[in-house]
């Protein structure tokens, strides 16, 4: 029987030392979608098209650094305004 890990333990295990703040925790697809104001399906589509900066953790898990999403969101909003 496997013991499922809590979200918090997954987040702590996924801390990335190379991030800007040093303690920045990666965001899940759902959290990134909420931050960007889009659906998780849209985020998955952007990942598939390699349009959004993302990380692959343990093969299939997709994570995002908030610091990278801030600049992505700024460029995305600018593109929509110029659209």
């Amino acid at each position: 029987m496997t013991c499922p890990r809590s979200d918090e333990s997954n987040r702590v295990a996924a801390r990335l030392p190379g991030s800007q703040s040093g303690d920045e925790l990666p965001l899940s697809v759902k959290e990134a979608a909420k931050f960007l104001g889009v659906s998780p399906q849209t985020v998955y589509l952007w990942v598939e098209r390699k349009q959004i900066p993302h990380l692959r953790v343990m093969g299939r898990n997709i994570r995002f650094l908030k610091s990278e999403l801030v600049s992505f969101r700024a460029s995305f909003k600018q593109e929509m305004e110029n659209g």
Side-chain angles (χ1 to χ4, degrees):
M1 180 173 150
T2 61
C3 179
R5 296 173 70 181
S6 70
D7 277 357
E8 184 58 29
S9 65
N10 283 337
R11 289 175 160 273
V12 171
R15 284 182 191 243
L16 300 172
S19 65
Q20 288 179 347
S21 70
D23 285 335
E24 185 175 9
L25 293 174
L27 302 176
S28 68
V29 171
K30 187 176 179 180
E31 293 166 329
K34 185 175 181 179
F35 177 75
L36 296 170
V38 298
S39 70
Q41 290 83 3
T42 298
V43 174
Y44 281 116
L45 182 64
W46 288 341
V47 167
E48 186 179 316
R49 293 180 178 175
K50 299 180 180 166
Q51 294 175 316
I52 188 170
H54 64 280
L55 307 161
R56 293 250 180 211
V57 181
M58 309 264 307
R60 297 196 62 178
N61 294 319
I62 302 166
R63 296 290 182 262
F64 306 87
L65 295 179
K66 192 170 186 176
S67 59
E68 293 180 346
L69 291 182
V70 169
S71 59
F72 174 80
R73 182 172 66 177
S75 67
F76 176 73
K77 282 187 175 181
Q78 184 178 19
E79 185 177 309
M80 293 301 291
E81 291 170 357
N82 294 337

